[in-house]
Amino acid sequence: MTEFLMMGLLPDISRTLSITIPEAGHLISIYALGVVIGAPIMVGLAGHYPPKKVLIGLMLMVFVFNGLFAVTPNYALLLTARFLAGLPHGAFFGIGAVVASRLAAPGRGGAFRSGYVRRFNCCQYHRRSFGYFYWP
């Protein structure tokens, strides 16, 4: 659950946790902090491994930390889970763009990268729409 879904759920989250909407908004900010801190660290650590394995590992991290967020019972642990979920986010985008350009025919790397970003944005839109209906 990235920042896009969280924005629409702030009133529900604040009501469920008995916190203010600005406090619930910190869940978005802490995720962004995780992205900023995690991207260079993850890319630096991933340089010695094949991109496919790195992308799979980053997705596993996203899955685990978002799963932790889904079952965490209090605000402090939610902040921790959101920070951890943000760590692999930027690295996944960067490495994914590099892999997309490598898969392209010569001279078509830019088209593949733009397709990668376009498809991701479409997925974000649809996931956000579905995510709102699944919040308890």
Side-chain angles (χ1 to χ4, degrees):
M1 179 184 339
T2 62
E3 64 281 3
F4 299 113
L5 179 59
M6 286 295 291
M7 285 184 241
L9 296 176
L10 288 180
D12 296 326
I13 291 171
S14 69
R15 187 172 39 256
T16 301
L17 296 175
S18 300
I19 58 175
T20 66
I21 291 177
E23 286 173 321
H26 291 152
L27 293 169
I28 296 172
S29 302
I30 198 75
Y31 183 88
L33 184 63
V35 172
V36 169
I37 291 172
I41 293 171
M42 297 289 178
V43 169
L45 293 174
H48 303 289
Y49 301 100
K52 181 179 178 180
K53 288 186 178 186
V54 172
L55 289 173
I56 290 170
L58 292 171
M59 282 310 300
L60 284 172
M61 289 175 67
V62 168
F63 178 76
V64 167
F65 295 139
N66 279 315
L68 177 64
F69 176 78
V71 298
T72 300
N74 65 44
Y75 181 67
L77 290 175
L78 283 175
L79 285 171
T80 303
R82 288 290 292 167
F83 176 78
L84 293 173
L87 291 175
H89 181 114
F92 185 84
F93 275 117
I95 294 169
V98 169
V99 169
S101 65
R102 286 182 184 168
L103 294 173
R108 301 277 301 152
F112 267 60
R113 282 191 303 275
S114 67
Y116 167 76
V117 172
R118 182 180 62 246
R119 286 176 184 88
F120 185 80
N121 287 335
C122 289
C123 290
Q124 282 287 357
Y125 172 77
H126 293 295
R127 186 174 62 183
R128 179 177 60 228
S129 301
F130 289 122
Y132 183 77
F133 294 110
Y134 292 124
W135 185 260

